[in-house]
Amino acid sequence: MADPKSGKIIHEILPVGMLQCNCSIIGDPQTREALVVDPGDEAARILELLAKHALTVKAIVSTHAHIDHVGGLRKMQQATGAPVVMHGDDMDLYRHLDAQAAWIGMRAPDPASVDKLLREGDTLRWGRFEANIMHTPGHTPGSISLYLAPPHDDKAGADVGKLLAGDTLFAGSIGRTDLWGGSLEQILRSIHQKLLLLPDETIVYPGHGAITTIGQERADNPFLELPRSSRR
Ligand SMILES: [Zn+2]
Ligand SMILES: [Zn+2]
């Protein structure tokens, strides 16, 4: 029937930089528009892949302002002209990239200008796709997760939702909360009250390491057993 290449989403995942942050390129094969998430480093490699797919970047998003997720923002912004967006509650972190760089012994990248601040409930649209912004604080104050609902016109039912979880939820683990602005109570609330409300089959793309699913983490993630004293 339809051209098999016409419907399928393009999703490239490249671990970049010293800390191997998973950068995602999510493209619409029809309109050739793309969203780039967490270009933490290696902008040249990301740009090469965009060129290979002939994609135009509509927005560049960081799930949070840790240096391994924002290091390539400026180069990506300069090369593509696309707006850089992140949650406002991480702007303090972003303004102190030099301090973050010093902690891990690297040079601070030049900051990008942040074009728009995201909030809970915002929607990013590109091509035929959209991502809902969920504010999921705890790893940092302004950590977000991006949810791409399954396409409505998917007759075969083969496609499922995708969650780009940043450093909030990992396969078998959760983000660390001992860095500046972190809170264990908040991250658990974010995961239980937002992420775990998604369908079990939702594929989770964490900020580092392996892909997982909401169902898998709900069943097996040892960090998500609710403490008996949980207040909410
Ligand atoms: Zn982080
Ligand atoms: Zn990270």
Side-chain angles (χ1 to χ4, degrees):
M1 217 173 69
D3 174 359
K5 282 163 78 186
S6 68
K8 266 283 173 216
I9 193 166
I10 295 167
H11 190 173
E12 295 273 10
I13 301 149
L14 347 37
V16 295
M18 189 169 79
L19 299 174
Q20 294 286 282
C21 164
N22 285 328
C23 171
S24 271
I25 296 171
I26 304 173
D28 183 332
Q30 277 181 12
T31 67
R32 311 316 293 190
E33 292 178 347
L35 190 74
V36 174
V37 182
D38 285 348
D41 203 350
E42 302 186 58
R45 258 180 80 211
I46 301 167
L47 291 165
E48 248 172 57
L49 212 43
L50 287 164
K52 184 186 131 194
H53 289 290
L55 292 168
T56 301
V57 181
K58 298 308 284 186
I60 308 164
V61 190
S62 282
T63 57
H64 62 292
H66 277 156
I67 193 165
D68 53 323
H69 296 255
V70 298
L73 285 180
R74 185 179 163 95
K75 282 183 186 158
M76 291 299 301
Q77 185 178 48
Q78 284 177 335
T80 66
V84 164
V85 299
M86 68 176 73
H87 195 282
D89 290 357
D90 262 13
M91 286 307 291
D92 276 345
L93 259 180
Y94 193 57
R95 285 187 203 105
H96 293 95
L97 271 182
D98 47 348
Q100 291 195 52
W103 294 336
I104 61 170
M106 62 179 278
R107 267 183 54 198
D110 288 332
S113 58
V114 176
D115 298 289
K116 188 182 172 233
L117 298 178
L118 296 172
R119 291 183 183 179
E120 167 79 20
D122 279 351
T123 304
L124 293 173
R125 293 190 174 83
W126 72 105
R128 295 162 300 155
F129 303 136
E130 59 180 45
N132 297 318
I133 302 301
M134 304 164 94
H135 183 207
T136 47
H139 175 64
T140 65
S143 280
I144 57 166
S145 302
L146 289 82
Y147 180 60
L148 283 75
H152 298 301
D153 58 353
D154 177 35
K155 300 282 194 295
D159 279 322
V160 297
K162 293 170 180 273
L163 179 76
L164 279 69
D167 287 0
T168 298
L169 180 62
F170 297 116
S173 188
I174 62 174
R176 56 188 292 185
T177 54
D178 58 331
L179 299 173
W180 183 88
S183 159
L184 180 61
E185 192 186 344
Q186 270 191 335
I187 200 171
L188 288 174
R189 201 183 303 148
S190 293
I191 294 170
H192 284 289
Q193 297 186 355
K194 292 188 180 168
L195 303 188
L196 293 188
L197 301 186
L198 296 171
D200 274 347
E201 62 273 19
T202 306
I203 301 174
V204 180
Y205 301 86
H208 302 266
I211 290 167
T212 181
T213 64
I214 288 291
Q216 178 73 34
E217 297 315 307
R218 195 196 309 282
D220 286 341
N221 190 316
F223 294 89
L224 300 185
E225 289 165 22
L226 274 172
R228 286 182 202 287
S229 62
S230 176
R231 271 166 289 170
R232 297 189 221 189

